Amino acid sequence: MKKVNVAIVGATGAVGTKILEKLLERDFPVQSIKLLASKRSAGTEITAGGHNYIVEETVPESFDGIDIAFFSAGGSISEKFAHEAVKRGAVVIDNTSAFRMTEQIPLVVPEVNADALNGHAGIISNPNCSTIQMVTALQPIREKLGLNRIIVSTYQAVSGAGSEAIDELENQSNQFTKRSEIKAEILPSASAERHYPIAFNAIPQIDSFDSSGYTLEELKMMNETKKIFGDPELSVSATCVRLPVVTGHSESVYIEVGQDGVTVKELHDLLTNAPGVVVQDDPSKQLYPMPLFAEGKDEVFVGRIRKDPEHPAGFHLWIVSDNLLKGAALNSVQIAETLLT
Ligand SMILES: NC(=O)c1ccc[n+]([C@@H]2O[C@H](COP(=O)([O-])OP(=O)(O)OC[C@H]3O[C@@H](n4cnc5c(N)ncnc54)[C@H](OP(=O)(O)O)[C@@H]3O)[C@@H](O)[C@H]2O)c1
């Protein structure tokens, strides 16, 4: 396979760090790796896979000679530099929401819609973390049985809000056990008017609200799922909640498949044979997925598969995955691998 020059924008962040780890771990065919961040981190040394890398400030010239640029530094940075990177010859794989719903830009989960990469124009979007794990698990069901409806409630980890949110949970946990004042400055989102403690709490707000009463995170799940599945008529509704979990998003998902009379065993079999999915489902052994055990793993874990007692085509599932891996870094690296094969 041809060796490529890679840049990671946002290399010091929660996602960027994992992109570097995955590139090295998966023997991605790299000629060189350039780590980029803001001016603040320029000069920082990062050691990984026995190499020392020096972080550089992101400027337009950073992309000269780059073949693949992974972006995970926030939407405004992608808006500022992604087109510039493409102009200078790079393919951009963007982890932010900047271009996800732009019609001509593919939104890709390789297990689901790798075909969408054909004919891309330089920028490829990586979906939202909660969306990726859900569509990866639902794809084999949808493909075989059809899918009419999804109602999802998420239980999302603080690492989904970046490294500052992880620090906030740790600090608040210490403040709580020391009975000192709890300081909330980041969650539900840094730009929000009010901040609430996440330690020992559950916050039913991820990102800001729009006029419909849904949050942007919920709308991302709803709109991105339809785009990835190529099914604008699919009925999708989401409620997204932040929990005091460091890494690993969990989701309670209700689905209505395209036909009546499907059994739980059929779903088990479909999911057991699905790429990137592991079924952990045995109530007699208390076996079900949990974020603590999904952290650091590449797969999407599915359990608690039950038939809805009231709807002939309804099922409930519990879906868990590492939001920084399949939900972000791993999926981005898989997109790059797919482009190179
Ligand atoms: N966390 C997740 O689970 C997840 C999943 C999917 C997608 N995403 C998306 O990925 C993006 C990054 O998320 P994260 O969780 O990794 O955030 P993070 O931990 O806060 O990291 C942000 C990164 O962006 C860099 N950055 C900030 N300002 C910059 C600038 N002006 N120029 C260049 N780089 C700059 C930071 O560098 P400095 O060290 O210089 O500040 C840091 O490397 C966000 O858009 C997020 O929505 C996150």
mmCIF file of all heavy atoms in Angstrom, residues 9-17 36-42 55 57-58 71-75 77-78 80-81 95-97 100 126-129 132 157-164 220 249 323-325 327-329, ligand 1:
data_model
loop_
_atom_site.group_PDB
_atom_site.id
_atom_site.type_symbol
_atom_site.label_atom_id
_atom_site.label_comp_id
_atom_site.label_asym_id
_atom_site.label_seq_id
_atom_site.Cartn_x
_atom_site.Cartn_y
_atom_site.Cartn_z
ATOM 1 N N VAL A 9 -5.030 17.655 12.966
ATOM 2 C CA VAL A 9 -5.331 18.991 13.506
ATOM 3 C C VAL A 9 -6.165 18.778 14.775
ATOM 4 O O VAL A 9 -7.219 18.150 14.720
ATOM 5 C CB VAL A 9 -6.139 19.830 12.497
ATOM 6 C CG1 VAL A 9 -6.353 21.241 13.033
ATOM 7 C CG2 VAL A 9 -5.457 19.851 11.142
ATOM 8 N N GLY A 10 -5.646 19.300 15.907
ATOM 9 C CA GLY A 10 -6.286 19.013 17.197
ATOM 10 C C GLY A 10 -5.616 17.817 17.853
ATOM 11 O O GLY A 10 -6.235 17.072 18.617
ATOM 12 N N ALA A 11 -4.313 17.677 17.550
ATOM 13 C CA ALA A 11 -3.578 16.473 17.971
ATOM 14 C C ALA A 11 -3.396 16.368 19.479
ATOM 15 O O ALA A 11 -3.127 15.278 19.997
ATOM 16 C CB ALA A 11 -2.205 16.457 17.289
ATOM 17 N N THR A 12 -3.549 17.492 20.213
ATOM 18 C CA THR A 12 -3.380 17.436 21.672
ATOM 19 C C THR A 12 -4.701 17.140 22.379
ATOM 20 O O THR A 12 -4.726 17.001 23.596
ATOM 21 C CB THR A 12 -2.847 18.788 22.195
ATOM 22 O OG1 THR A 12 -3.733 19.819 21.708
ATOM 23 C CG2 THR A 12 -1.437 19.069 21.697
ATOM 24 N N GLY A 13 -5.800 17.050 21.635
ATOM 25 C CA GLY A 13 -7.119 16.895 22.252
ATOM 26 C C GLY A 13 -7.499 15.442 22.497
ATOM 27 O O GLY A 13 -6.752 14.509 22.170
ATOM 28 N N ALA A 14 -8.699 15.267 23.078
ATOM 29 C CA ALA A 14 -9.179 13.927 23.428
ATOM 30 C C ALA A 14 -9.248 13.028 22.195
ATOM 31 O O ALA A 14 -8.820 11.865 22.225
ATOM 32 C CB ALA A 14 -10.564 14.042 24.088
ATOM 33 N N VAL A 15 -9.761 13.537 21.076
ATOM 34 C CA VAL A 15 -9.894 12.725 19.862
ATOM 35 C C VAL A 15 -8.566 12.629 19.122
ATOM 36 O O VAL A 15 -8.147 11.541 18.702
ATOM 37 C CB VAL A 15 -10.993 13.314 18.935
ATOM 38 C CG1 VAL A 15 -11.052 12.560 17.616
ATOM 39 C CG2 VAL A 15 -12.355 13.264 19.617
ATOM 40 N N GLY A 16 -7.883 13.762 18.966
ATOM 41 C CA GLY A 16 -6.624 13.789 18.210
ATOM 42 C C GLY A 16 -5.586 12.821 18.772
ATOM 43 O O GLY A 16 -4.887 12.123 18.019
ATOM 44 N N THR A 17 -5.507 12.750 20.096
ATOM 45 C CA THR A 17 -4.567 11.830 20.750
ATOM 46 C C THR A 17 -4.861 10.391 20.335
ATOM 47 O O THR A 17 -3.961 9.600 20.083
ATOM 48 C CB THR A 17 -4.728 11.965 22.293
ATOM 49 O OG1 THR A 17 -4.687 13.335 22.627
ATOM 50 C CG2 THR A 17 -3.674 11.227 23.050
ATOM 51 N N LEU A 36 -0.704 18.950 14.699
ATOM 52 C CA LEU A 36 -1.064 20.370 14.661
ATOM 53 C C LEU A 36 -2.075 20.686 15.753
ATOM 54 O O LEU A 36 -2.925 19.863 16.090
ATOM 55 C CB LEU A 36 -1.676 20.709 13.298
ATOM 56 C CG LEU A 36 -0.785 20.451 12.081
ATOM 57 C CD1 LEU A 36 -1.598 20.568 10.791
ATOM 58 C CD2 LEU A 36 0.392 21.428 12.054
ATOM 59 N N ALA A 37 -1.951 21.890 16.312
ATOM 60 C CA ALA A 37 -2.924 22.360 17.307
ATOM 61 C C ALA A 37 -2.935 23.883 17.246
ATOM 62 O O ALA A 37 -2.590 24.457 16.211
ATOM 63 C CB ALA A 37 -2.550 21.841 18.698
ATOM 64 N N SER A 38 -3.319 24.530 18.359
ATOM 65 C CA SER A 38 -3.305 25.995 18.347
ATOM 66 C C SER A 38 -1.898 26.482 18.710
ATOM 67 O O SER A 38 -1.030 25.694 19.085
ATOM 68 C CB SER A 38 -4.326 26.535 19.354
ATOM 69 O OG SER A 38 -3.811 26.389 20.660
ATOM 70 N N LYS A 39 -1.740 27.789 18.654
ATOM 71 C CA LYS A 39 -0.461 28.422 19.015
ATOM 72 C C LYS A 39 -0.045 28.027 20.442
ATOM 73 O O LYS A 39 1.137 27.846 20.729
ATOM 74 C CB LYS A 39 -0.664 29.939 18.924
ATOM 75 C CG LYS A 39 0.573 30.729 18.736
ATOM 76 C CD LYS A 39 0.190 32.178 18.499
ATOM 77 C CE LYS A 39 1.432 32.981 18.214
ATOM 78 N NZ LYS A 39 1.125 34.334 17.794
ATOM 79 N N ARG A 40 -1.093 27.887 21.324
ATOM 80 C CA ARG A 40 -0.827 27.562 22.739
ATOM 81 C C ARG A 40 0.027 26.322 22.898
ATOM 82 O O ARG A 40 0.869 26.239 23.780
ATOM 83 C CB ARG A 40 -2.157 27.276 23.475
ATOM 84 C CG ARG A 40 -3.025 28.436 23.742
ATOM 85 C CD ARG A 40 -4.269 27.981 24.514
ATOM 86 N NE ARG A 40 -5.106 27.036 23.758
ATOM 87 C CZ ARG A 40 -6.031 27.404 22.890
ATOM 88 N NH1 ARG A 40 -6.243 28.678 22.659
ATOM 89 N NH2 ARG A 40 -6.756 26.500 22.246
ATOM 90 N N SER A 41 -0.220 25.307 22.062
ATOM 91 C CA SER A 41 0.474 24.024 22.234
ATOM 92 C C SER A 41 1.686 23.872 21.328
ATOM 93 O O SER A 41 2.347 22.831 21.372
ATOM 94 C CB SER A 41 -0.476 22.865 21.934
ATOM 95 O OG SER A 41 -1.550 22.914 22.796
ATOM 96 N N ALA A 42 1.943 24.877 20.483
ATOM 97 C CA ALA A 42 3.091 24.756 19.567
ATOM 98 C C ALA A 42 4.360 24.524 20.391
ATOM 99 O O ALA A 42 4.585 25.176 21.410
ATOM 100 C CB ALA A 42 3.210 26.016 18.730
ATOM 101 N N VAL A 55 4.555 19.362 18.401
ATOM 102 C CA VAL A 55 3.295 19.945 17.928
ATOM 103 C C VAL A 55 3.571 21.303 17.282
ATOM 104 O O VAL A 55 4.362 22.097 17.792
ATOM 105 C CB VAL A 55 2.301 20.105 19.110
ATOM 106 C CG1 VAL A 55 1.019 20.791 18.658
ATOM 107 C CG2 VAL A 55 2.006 18.755 19.746
ATOM 108 N N GLU A 57 1.858 24.893 15.308
ATOM 109 C CA GLU A 57 0.651 25.716 15.159
ATOM 110 C C GLU A 57 0.033 25.446 13.779
ATOM 111 O O GLU A 57 0.755 25.276 12.794
ATOM 112 C CB GLU A 57 1.010 27.203 15.270
ATOM 113 C CG GLU A 57 -0.208 28.089 15.163
ATOM 114 C CD GLU A 57 0.122 29.583 15.137
ATOM 115 O OE1 GLU A 57 1.307 29.944 15.266
ATOM 116 O OE2 GLU A 57 -0.830 30.363 14.966
ATOM 117 N N THR A 58 -1.302 25.403 13.712
ATOM 118 C CA THR A 58 -1.992 25.168 12.435
ATOM 119 C C THR A 58 -2.030 26.466 11.623
ATOM 120 O O THR A 58 -2.604 27.466 12.074
ATOM 121 C CB THR A 58 -3.445 24.705 12.697
ATOM 122 O OG1 THR A 58 -3.421 23.657 13.673
ATOM 123 C CG2 THR A 58 -4.111 24.217 11.429
ATOM 124 N N PHE A 71 -9.095 16.164 10.979
ATOM 125 C CA PHE A 71 -9.422 17.389 11.717
ATOM 126 C C PHE A 71 -10.247 17.031 12.961
ATOM 127 O O PHE A 71 -11.301 16.395 12.841
ATOM 128 C CB PHE A 71 -10.258 18.341 10.843
ATOM 129 C CG PHE A 71 -9.442 19.255 9.971
ATOM 130 C CD1 PHE A 71 -8.698 18.768 8.910
ATOM 131 C CD2 PHE A 71 -9.429 20.627 10.212
ATOM 132 C CE1 PHE A 71 -7.962 19.625 8.097
ATOM 133 C CE2 PHE A 71 -8.697 21.489 9.406
ATOM 134 C CZ PHE A 71 -7.956 20.993 8.349
ATOM 135 N N SER A 72 -9.801 17.464 14.138
ATOM 136 C CA SER A 72 -10.618 17.316 15.348
ATOM 137 C C SER A 72 -10.272 18.455 16.293
ATOM 138 O O SER A 72 -9.812 18.240 17.415
ATOM 139 C CB SER A 72 -10.402 15.952 16.018
ATOM 140 O OG SER A 72 -9.100 15.860 16.512
ATOM 141 N N ALA A 73 -10.509 19.676 15.826
ATOM 142 C CA ALA A 73 -10.176 20.854 16.646
ATOM 143 C C ALA A 73 -11.386 21.778 16.787
ATOM 144 O O ALA A 73 -11.231 22.938 17.145
ATOM 145 C CB ALA A 73 -9.002 21.600 16.017
ATOM 146 N N GLY A 74 -12.570 21.262 16.507
ATOM 147 C CA GLY A 74 -13.773 22.085 16.588
ATOM 148 C C GLY A 74 -14.193 22.587 15.213
ATOM 149 O O GLY A 74 -13.361 22.720 14.298
ATOM 150 N N GLY A 75 -15.507 22.853 15.095
ATOM 151 C CA GLY A 75 -16.088 23.222 13.801
ATOM 152 C C GLY A 75 -15.479 24.474 13.188
ATOM 153 O O GLY A 75 -15.250 24.529 11.972
ATOM 154 N N ILE A 77 -12.501 25.674 13.380
ATOM 155 C CA ILE A 77 -11.155 25.430 12.823
ATOM 156 C C ILE A 77 -11.291 24.655 11.505
ATOM 157 O O ILE A 77 -10.578 24.904 10.546
ATOM 158 C CB ILE A 77 -10.274 24.642 13.830
ATOM 159 C CG1 ILE A 77 -10.223 25.371 15.173
ATOM 160 C CG2 ILE A 77 -8.875 24.403 13.274
ATOM 161 C CD1 ILE A 77 -9.733 26.792 15.096
ATOM 162 N N SER A 78 -12.236 23.720 11.456
ATOM 163 C CA SER A 78 -12.464 22.997 10.198
ATOM 164 C C SER A 78 -12.947 23.964 9.123
ATOM 165 O O SER A 78 -12.507 23.907 7.977
ATOM 166 C CB SER A 78 -13.500 21.884 10.395
ATOM 167 O OG SER A 78 -12.967 20.897 11.237
ATOM 168 N N LYS A 80 -12.285 27.015 8.919
ATOM 169 C CA LYS A 80 -11.188 27.915 8.541
ATOM 170 C C LYS A 80 -10.146 27.214 7.649
ATOM 171 O O LYS A 80 -9.633 27.809 6.716
ATOM 172 C CB LYS A 80 -10.521 28.424 9.839
ATOM 173 C CG LYS A 80 -9.474 29.474 9.637
ATOM 174 C CD LYS A 80 -9.089 30.107 10.966
ATOM 175 C CE LYS A 80 -7.874 31.007 10.812
ATOM 176 N NZ LYS A 80 -7.295 31.350 12.107
ATOM 177 N N PHE A 81 -9.846 25.939 7.943
ATOM 178 C CA PHE A 81 -8.690 25.321 7.288
ATOM 179 C C PHE A 81 -8.993 24.145 6.344
ATOM 180 O O PHE A 81 -8.119 23.756 5.578
ATOM 181 C CB PHE A 81 -7.695 24.816 8.345
ATOM 182 C CG PHE A 81 -6.966 25.914 9.070
ATOM 183 C CD1 PHE A 81 -7.206 26.166 10.407
ATOM 184 C CD2 PHE A 81 -6.026 26.697 8.406
ATOM 185 C CE1 PHE A 81 -6.528 27.177 11.089
ATOM 186 C CE2 PHE A 81 -5.342 27.711 9.066
ATOM 187 C CZ PHE A 81 -5.597 27.953 10.412
ATOM 188 N N ASN A 95 -13.770 15.398 11.891
ATOM 189 C CA ASN A 95 -14.522 14.873 13.031
ATOM 190 C C ASN A 95 -15.564 15.840 13.567
ATOM 191 O O ASN A 95 -16.325 15.486 14.455
ATOM 192 C CB ASN A 95 -13.548 14.545 14.167
ATOM 193 C CG ASN A 95 -13.236 13.080 14.222
ATOM 194 O OD1 ASN A 95 -14.056 12.302 14.687
ATOM 195 N ND2 ASN A 95 -12.084 12.696 13.717
ATOM 196 N N THR A 96 -15.569 17.065 13.094
ATOM 197 C CA THR A 96 -16.491 18.054 13.657
ATOM 198 C C THR A 96 -17.817 18.030 12.893
ATOM 199 O O THR A 96 -17.945 17.360 11.873
ATOM 200 C CB THR A 96 -15.895 19.475 13.570
ATOM 201 O OG1 THR A 96 -16.031 19.950 12.225
ATOM 202 C CG2 THR A 96 -14.422 19.486 13.967
ATOM 203 N N SER A 97 -18.753 18.832 13.380
ATOM 204 C CA SER A 97 -20.066 18.847 12.717
ATOM 205 C C SER A 97 -20.108 19.843 11.557
ATOM 206 O O SER A 97 -21.162 20.017 10.933
ATOM 207 C CB SER A 97 -21.159 19.177 13.741
ATOM 208 O OG SER A 97 -20.867 20.417 14.342
ATOM 209 N N ARG A 100 -21.100 18.004 8.128
ATOM 210 C CA ARG A 100 -21.788 16.700 8.110
ATOM 211 C C ARG A 100 -23.067 16.696 7.299
ATOM 212 O O ARG A 100 -23.392 15.707 6.654
ATOM 213 C CB ARG A 100 -22.109 16.257 9.546
ATOM 214 C CG ARG A 100 -20.899 15.796 10.305
ATOM 215 C CD ARG A 100 -21.300 15.346 11.690
ATOM 216 N NE ARG A 100 -20.139 15.128 12.538
ATOM 217 C CZ ARG A 100 -20.134 15.294 13.849
ATOM 218 N NH1 ARG A 100 -21.237 15.670 14.475
ATOM 219 N NH2 ARG A 100 -19.038 15.070 14.543
ATOM 220 N N ASN A 126 -16.867 12.672 9.408
ATOM 221 C CA ASN A 126 -17.024 11.574 10.360
ATOM 222 C C ASN A 126 -18.260 11.924 11.205
ATOM 223 O O ASN A 126 -18.347 13.028 11.726
ATOM 224 C CB ASN A 126 -15.769 11.552 11.251
ATOM 225 C CG ASN A 126 -15.599 10.276 12.009
ATOM 226 O OD1 ASN A 126 -15.389 9.240 11.421
ATOM 227 N ND2 ASN A 126 -15.690 10.350 13.321
ATOM 228 N N PRO A 127 -19.225 11.025 11.337
ATOM 229 C CA PRO A 127 -20.454 11.401 12.056
ATOM 230 C C PRO A 127 -20.220 11.652 13.549
ATOM 231 O O PRO A 127 -19.162 11.345 14.104
ATOM 232 C CB PRO A 127 -21.363 10.188 11.848
ATOM 233 C CG PRO A 127 -20.786 9.447 10.688
ATOM 234 C CD PRO A 127 -19.310 9.688 10.746
ATOM 235 N N ASN A 128 -21.265 12.133 14.189
ATOM 236 C CA ASN A 128 -21.296 12.317 15.643
ATOM 237 C C ASN A 128 -21.090 10.959 16.332
ATOM 238 O O ASN A 128 -21.539 9.931 15.822
ATOM 239 C CB ASN A 128 -22.673 12.917 15.973
ATOM 240 C CG ASN A 128 -22.981 12.927 17.433
ATOM 241 O OD1 ASN A 128 -23.523 11.971 17.968
ATOM 242 N ND2 ASN A 128 -22.640 14.003 18.079
ATOM 243 N N CYS A 129 -20.413 10.993 17.490
ATOM 244 C CA CYS A 129 -20.051 9.736 18.167
ATOM 245 C C CYS A 129 -21.259 8.851 18.501
ATOM 246 O O CYS A 129 -21.239 7.636 18.285
ATOM 247 C CB CYS A 129 -19.251 10.039 19.438
ATOM 248 S SG CYS A 129 -19.857 11.443 20.371
ATOM 249 N N ILE A 132 -22.610 7.169 15.301
ATOM 250 C CA ILE A 132 -21.788 6.096 14.709
ATOM 251 C C ILE A 132 -22.099 4.754 15.365
ATOM 252 O O ILE A 132 -22.342 3.754 14.682
ATOM 253 C CB ILE A 132 -20.275 6.396 14.859
ATOM 254 C CG1 ILE A 132 -19.887 7.621 14.025
ATOM 255 C CG2 ILE A 132 -19.439 5.175 14.445
ATOM 256 C CD1 ILE A 132 -18.425 8.031 14.152
ATOM 257 N N ALA A 157 -20.773 9.923 27.916
ATOM 258 C CA ALA A 157 -19.607 10.165 28.767
ATOM 259 C C ALA A 157 -19.094 11.592 28.609
ATOM 260 O O ALA A 157 -19.272 12.225 27.560
ATOM 261 C CB ALA A 157 -18.508 9.182 28.376
ATOM 262 N N VAL A 158 -18.397 12.086 29.628
ATOM 263 C CA VAL A 158 -17.902 13.465 29.581
ATOM 264 C C VAL A 158 -16.781 13.651 28.549
ATOM 265 O O VAL A 158 -16.598 14.750 28.031
ATOM 266 C CB VAL A 158 -17.398 13.961 30.970
ATOM 267 C CG1 VAL A 158 -18.545 14.090 31.945
ATOM 268 C CG2 VAL A 158 -16.308 13.062 31.522
ATOM 269 N N SER A 159 -16.052 12.575 28.216
ATOM 270 C CA SER A 159 -14.976 12.739 27.221
ATOM 271 C C SER A 159 -15.535 13.155 25.868
ATOM 272 O O SER A 159 -14.798 13.686 25.038
ATOM 273 C CB SER A 159 -14.138 11.467 27.097
ATOM 274 O OG SER A 159 -14.949 10.388 26.713
ATOM 275 N N GLY A 160 -16.816 12.942 25.655
ATOM 276 C CA GLY A 160 -17.467 13.415 24.435
ATOM 277 C C GLY A 160 -17.467 14.929 24.343
ATOM 278 O O GLY A 160 -17.675 15.487 23.269
ATOM 279 N N ALA A 161 -17.233 15.589 25.475
ATOM 280 C CA ALA A 161 -17.191 17.064 25.466
ATOM 281 C C ALA A 161 -15.750 17.570 25.555
ATOM 282 O O ALA A 161 -15.523 18.744 25.854
ATOM 283 C CB ALA A 161 -18.024 17.610 26.614
ATOM 284 N N GLY A 162 -14.781 16.691 25.312
ATOM 285 C CA GLY A 162 -13.378 17.118 25.257
ATOM 286 C C GLY A 162 -12.648 16.961 26.579
ATOM 287 O O GLY A 162 -13.238 16.637 27.612
ATOM 288 N N SER A 163 -11.340 17.227 26.529
ATOM 289 C CA SER A 163 -10.502 16.953 27.700
ATOM 290 C C SER A 163 -10.829 17.866 28.883
ATOM 291 O O SER A 163 -10.664 17.467 30.038
ATOM 292 C CB SER A 163 -9.018 17.003 27.347
ATOM 293 O OG SER A 163 -8.780 17.979 26.406
ATOM 294 N N GLU A 164 -11.329 19.079 28.622
ATOM 295 C CA GLU A 164 -11.679 19.975 29.749
ATOM 296 C C GLU A 164 -12.834 19.392 30.570
ATOM 297 O O GLU A 164 -12.902 19.588 31.784
ATOM 298 C CB GLU A 164 -12.117 21.339 29.218
ATOM 299 C CG GLU A 164 -10.953 22.206 28.781
ATOM 300 C CD GLU A 164 -11.417 23.595 28.377
ATOM 301 O OE1 GLU A 164 -12.595 23.743 27.987
ATOM 302 O OE2 GLU A 164 -10.584 24.516 28.451
ATOM 303 N N LYS A 220 -28.488 16.232 15.696
ATOM 304 C CA LYS A 220 -27.404 15.577 14.933
ATOM 305 C C LYS A 220 -27.716 14.093 14.791
ATOM 306 O O LYS A 220 -27.639 13.529 13.702
ATOM 307 C CB LYS A 220 -26.062 15.724 15.663
ATOM 308 C CG LYS A 220 -25.398 17.071 15.513
ATOM 309 C CD LYS A 220 -24.103 17.093 16.322
ATOM 310 C CE LYS A 220 -23.731 18.502 16.698
ATOM 311 N NZ LYS A 220 -22.666 18.572 17.692
ATOM 312 N N HIS A 249 -20.068 5.805 25.555
ATOM 313 C CA HIS A 249 -21.469 6.229 25.489
ATOM 314 C C HIS A 249 -22.359 4.983 25.504
ATOM 315 O O HIS A 249 -22.063 3.973 24.848
ATOM 316 C CB HIS A 249 -21.754 6.970 24.179
ATOM 317 C CG HIS A 249 -21.138 8.333 24.082
ATOM 318 N ND1 HIS A 249 -20.547 8.988 25.146
ATOM 319 C CD2 HIS A 249 -21.054 9.192 23.027
ATOM 320 C CE1 HIS A 249 -20.119 10.179 24.745
ATOM 321 N NE2 HIS A 249 -20.403 10.318 23.470
ATOM 322 N N ASN A 323 -16.624 6.203 22.857
ATOM 323 C CA ASN A 323 -16.931 7.361 22.005
ATOM 324 C C ASN A 323 -15.694 7.972 21.360
ATOM 325 O O ASN A 323 -15.784 8.626 20.329
ATOM 326 C CB ASN A 323 -17.659 8.441 22.814
ATOM 327 C CG ASN A 323 -16.944 8.784 24.104
ATOM 328 O OD1 ASN A 323 -16.820 7.922 24.978
ATOM 329 N ND2 ASN A 323 -16.464 10.001 24.234
ATOM 330 N N LEU A 324 -14.525 7.771 21.962
ATOM 331 C CA LEU A 324 -13.307 8.350 21.376
ATOM 332 C C LEU A 324 -12.717 7.429 20.312
ATOM 333 O O LEU A 324 -11.916 7.858 19.502
ATOM 334 C CB LEU A 324 -12.255 8.602 22.473
ATOM 335 C CG LEU A 324 -12.661 9.603 23.555
ATOM 336 C CD1 LEU A 324 -11.592 9.674 24.645
ATOM 337 C CD2 LEU A 324 -12.889 10.993 22.956
ATOM 338 N N LEU A 325 -13.122 6.145 20.317
ATOM 339 C CA LEU A 325 -12.571 5.185 19.344
ATOM 340 C C LEU A 325 -13.556 5.001 18.190
ATOM 341 O O LEU A 325 -13.502 5.728 17.228
ATOM 342 C CB LEU A 325 -12.204 3.873 20.035
ATOM 343 C CG LEU A 325 -11.095 4.024 21.108
ATOM 344 C CD1 LEU A 325 -10.721 2.696 21.717
ATOM 345 C CD2 LEU A 325 -9.863 4.710 20.530
ATOM 346 N N GLY A 327 -16.466 5.881 18.037
ATOM 347 C CA GLY A 327 -17.227 7.127 17.921
ATOM 348 C C GLY A 327 -16.459 8.275 17.298
ATOM 349 O O GLY A 327 -17.047 9.306 16.973
ATOM 350 N N ALA A 328 -15.151 8.135 17.119
ATOM 351 C CA ALA A 328 -14.376 9.261 16.577
ATOM 352 C C ALA A 328 -13.119 8.766 15.865
ATOM 353 O O ALA A 328 -13.113 8.563 14.653
ATOM 354 C CB ALA A 328 -14.030 10.243 17.692
ATOM 355 N N ALA A 329 -12.040 8.514 16.649
ATOM 356 C CA ALA A 329 -10.720 8.264 16.041
ATOM 357 C C ALA A 329 -10.700 7.019 15.162
ATOM 358 O O ALA A 329 -10.209 7.045 14.030
ATOM 359 C CB ALA A 329 -9.672 8.143 17.144
HETATM 360 N N1 LIG B 1 -14.763 13.758 22.201
HETATM 361 C C1 LIG B 1 -15.537 13.022 21.401
HETATM 362 O O1 LIG B 1 -16.064 11.952 21.772
HETATM 363 C C2 LIG B 1 -15.784 13.466 19.992
HETATM 364 C C3 LIG B 1 -16.328 12.565 19.133
HETATM 365 C C4 LIG B 1 -16.559 12.921 17.827
HETATM 366 C C5 LIG B 1 -16.244 14.203 17.423
HETATM 367 N N2 LIG B 1 -15.717 15.102 18.285
HETATM 368 C C6 LIG B 1 -15.399 16.442 17.791
HETATM 369 O O2 LIG B 1 -13.993 16.574 17.619
HETATM 370 C C7 LIG B 1 -13.585 17.900 17.928
HETATM 371 C C8 LIG B 1 -12.511 17.871 19.011
HETATM 372 O O3 LIG B 1 -13.022 17.247 20.153
HETATM 373 P P1 LIG B 1 -12.112 16.836 21.397
HETATM 374 O O4 LIG B 1 -13.026 16.123 22.287
HETATM 375 O O5 LIG B 1 -10.848 16.186 20.974
HETATM 376 O O6 LIG B 1 -11.758 18.307 22.000
HETATM 377 P P2 LIG B 1 -10.567 18.744 22.958
HETATM 378 O O7 LIG B 1 -10.096 17.638 23.797
HETATM 379 O O8 LIG B 1 -11.061 19.991 23.627
HETATM 380 O O9 LIG B 1 -9.382 19.140 21.950
HETATM 381 C C9 LIG B 1 -9.453 20.251 21.096
HETATM 382 C C10 LIG B 1 -8.227 20.260 20.176
HETATM 383 O O10 LIG B 1 -8.373 21.358 19.266
HETATM 384 C C11 LIG B 1 -7.186 22.138 19.292
HETATM 385 N N3 LIG B 1 -7.456 23.531 18.985
HETATM 386 C C12 LIG B 1 -8.169 24.421 19.718
HETATM 387 N N4 LIG B 1 -8.125 25.645 19.127
HETATM 388 C C13 LIG B 1 -7.379 25.509 18.003
HETATM 389 C C14 LIG B 1 -6.939 26.403 16.981
HETATM 390 N N5 LIG B 1 -7.271 27.704 17.000
HETATM 391 N N6 LIG B 1 -6.162 25.907 15.982
HETATM 392 C C15 LIG B 1 -5.810 24.611 15.947
HETATM 393 N N7 LIG B 1 -6.159 23.709 16.899
HETATM 394 C C16 LIG B 1 -6.936 24.170 17.910
HETATM 395 C C17 LIG B 1 -6.677 21.971 20.692
HETATM 396 O O11 LIG B 1 -5.311 22.338 20.714
HETATM 397 P P3 LIG B 1 -4.623 23.132 21.949
HETATM 398 O O12 LIG B 1 -3.935 22.072 22.768
HETATM 399 O O13 LIG B 1 -3.638 24.009 21.265
HETATM 400 O O14 LIG B 1 -5.692 23.869 22.679
HETATM 401 C C18 LIG B 1 -6.914 20.482 20.904
HETATM 402 O O15 LIG B 1 -5.891 19.749 20.266
HETATM 403 C C19 LIG B 1 -14.862 18.649 18.315
HETATM 404 O O16 LIG B 1 -15.370 19.314 17.191
HETATM 405 C C20 LIG B 1 -15.805 17.563 18.743
HETATM 406 O O17 LIG B 1 -17.154 17.903 18.566
HETATM 407 C C21 LIG B 1 -15.452 14.753 19.560
#
